[in-house]
Amino acid sequence: MTIHRGRTYLEKHRYSPRYIFNPPRADLGMVLTIPCHNEPDVVKTLDSLEICQKPPCEVEVLVIVNASEDHPQAILQQNDHSIRQISHWIEASSKKFTYHLLNFPALPQKHAGVGLARKIAMDEAVDRLEQVEYPRGIIIGLDADTLVAPNYLKEIWNHFQQHPKSEAASIYFEHPTQGKEYITRIYQGIIRYELFLRYYIEALRYAGYPFAYHTIGSAMAVRSEAYQRQGGMNRRKAGEDFYFLQKFIAQGTLSEIHSTCVYPSPRPSQKVPFGTGRAISEWMEKDTLSYPAYNLQTFEDLKHFCANISSLYTSDSYVMPDSLRSFFETEGFQEKLAEIRQHVSTEVSFVKRFYQYFDALKVLKYVHFSRDHFYPNEDIYPVAVKLGDKVFSQLPKNTPLLNLLGMYRRFQRREESYQT
């Protein structure tokens, strides 16, 4: 029955036919997928994987070199170079894990991008795990410019064994903040950008919002059967990770792995309209050390609202903060509220259904509305200090920026936000 479900998913949803015909080993339990597009250093990522401690199962690594049918010749040449590099690396010596190289050099311009590349590789991973009749096997997302800690694979395996109800996981990450590989300006930018990411998640948690998780494509994992149940990866050209993981966040089956770490690259990139590469590219174009972040008052208003959501079940007397009232006026809120009330019979079910409506995407839309109409952005340092004073403890005066990021890292890594 399980095998049939896997075959049904692949028949209905996979983008391309089976690519790998060599049968997997019978003990295959994890398949790691790596999109590779215009990446000069993918071998560093493979080296990082190869020194990982081996989990108690076979691991396969699928690297999908991909490009659009209309990409310029320079990108195609870089991809060809990556193919030669990867092939030589695989053949150079015996490897701890099994590596497969997939090449899709002319994807349709309309859909080509990281989402489609992830989907092709993850669907192939489903096929590999179905061949060994292991639908609860783990499919991992990584990027071709990202390194991993030596315990990466082992800890992902252990986590899913210890949390059998977890269907997907967000993995702890840290960007490099110093070194000689990049110029100082890039390290200055990535410190601020990562602090911004952590500030946003922590501000949501401070507000009492229940669906506050990091959603990063290079730091995620999912069980094959759960991946299939949710219809697989989407084909978005950016934000594919956010939309994919929201499905598991909304149903309460996303967990967090804090016992290992991935190290995404801080390099600038124009490949996607948002994300790390684009953020650092925009940072490099500015002549300032300031980095914009959402005003903390936005989250104070959200905190007030989250504390009073249950009162909306039977009453319209709750007076919302102006930022939320104005936002909901643009969203047809009263009609939606009436619809939610109509379909629930208890306060608990009302709150649950309300948060299905007020999901992470809707909250982000509110945060942007609040920024544009009520509380303008501030620099990341002072707002991160203000929030730190509320959620950690009183911070030392004039805490250096890098130390502040370290405090956020340690605080978020200690948190255990998933219970089986």
Side-chain angles (χ1 to χ4, degrees), residues 85-345:
Q85 276 188 312
I86 296 165
S87 299
H88 177 74
W89 184 89
I90 293 173
E91 296 168 359
S93 61
S94 60
K95 296 293 187 289
K96 191 184 302 180
F97 309 114
T98 301
Y99 297 84
H100 298 285
L101 177 58
L102 290 66
N103 183 23
F104 285 79
L107 293 171
Q109 185 273 335
K110 182 178 179 181
H111 300 296
V114 65
L116 180 54
R118 287 198 200 282
K119 175 176 175 55
I120 293 170
M122 296 178 88
D123 286 354
E124 193 74 22
V126 169
D127 193 355
R128 303 298 286 172
L129 290 164
E130 287 298 322
Q131 289 179 55
V132 298
E133 303 182 20
Y134 191 36
R136 286 180 65 77
I138 303 162
I139 302 172
I140 305 170
L142 191 64
D143 282 349
D145 60 355
T146 300
L147 306 182
V148 300
N151 67 347
Y152 172 73
L153 294 170
K154 195 171 183 179
E155 286 303 313
I156 293 174
W157 174 265
N158 289 342
H159 178 86
F160 279 98
Q161 299 306 305
Q162 294 163 7
H163 300 280
K165 294 182 181 179
S166 174
E167 294 189 336
S170 173
I171 303 166
Y172 180 78
F173 69 95
E174 290 183 358
H175 294 93
T177 57
Q178 58 186 350
K180 297 181 179 179
E181 187 171 358
Y182 302 98
I183 62 174
T184 299
R185 177 74 179 170
I186 290 178
Y187 290 117
Q188 290 174 334
I190 201 63
I191 290 169
R192 289 161 174 81
Y193 177 70
E194 185 182 322
L195 182 58
F196 164 76
L197 294 179
R198 297 193 183 282
Y199 163 78
Y200 179 63
I201 294 300
E202 210 52 54
L204 290 177
R205 291 173 178 175
Y206 165 72
Y209 184 72
F211 298 154
Y213 294 90
H214 292 288
T215 53
I216 298 176
S218 61
M220 65 180 184
V222 60
R223 293 189 192 276
S224 177
E225 62 182 3
Y227 173 86
Q228 297 172 50
R229 195 181 307 118
Q230 294 299 334
M233 176 58 65
N234 59 77
R235 298 188 296 186
R236 291 177 178 271
K237 297 189 178 187
E240 81 294 339
D241 42 12
F242 176 85
Y243 287 93
F244 177 70
L245 291 178
Q246 291 310 313
K247 297 178 180 181
F248 302 98
I249 292 172
Q251 65 185 22
T253 58
L254 183 81
S255 55
E256 292 183 305
I257 301 176
H258 296 123
S259 55
T260 190
C261 188
V262 300
Y263 305 97
S265 169
R267 67 175 184 165
S269 172
Q270 298 287 340
K271 286 194 291 188
V272 294
F274 51 86
T276 305
R278 179 56 67 108
I280 299 304
S281 290
E282 293 175 353
W283 161 263
M284 297 296 290
E285 295 171 359
K286 298 177 181 178
D287 185 22
T288 178
L289 289 177
S290 178
Y291 193 94
Y294 306 124
N295 195 302
L296 186 57
Q297 188 58 47
T298 291
F299 303 98
E300 294 286 3
D301 286 6
L302 184 62
K303 182 179 180 68
H304 191 281
F305 178 70
C306 289
N308 288 278
I309 283 176
S310 60
S311 69
L312 295 173
Y313 174 49
T314 56
S315 172
D316 293 320
S317 61
Y318 168 58
V319 180
M320 296 183 194
D322 289 344
S323 63
L324 279 146
R325 177 185 53 76
S326 296
F327 169 71
F328 281 132
E329 285 175 356
T330 70
E331 294 287 311
F333 178 72
Q334 290 303 323
E335 293 82 359
K336 190 63 183 180
L337 182 60
E339 177 189 325
I340 294 172
R341 286 170 173 168
Q342 184 179 356
H343 289 89
V344 298
S345 57

Side-chain angles (χ1 to χ4, degrees), residues 343-391:
H343 289 89
V344 298
S345 57
T346 67
E347 184 178 293
V348 171
S349 59
F350 170 81
V351 172
K352 182 178 181 179
R353 194 177 183 99
F354 186 88
Y355 277 122
Q356 291 174 351
Y357 157 71
F358 198 45
D359 61 12
L361 182 60
K362 186 79 71 179
V363 168
L364 182 60
K365 190 175 180 181
Y366 156 67
V367 169
H368 287 171
F369 178 90
S370 178
R371 173 199 63 194
D372 295 341
H373 299 280
F374 286 86
Y375 311 119
N377 281 342
E378 295 187 31
D379 178 51
I380 183 59
Y381 180 79
V383 294
V385 168
K386 290 177 190 175
L387 180 62
D389 281 337
K390 293 176 180 292
V391 299

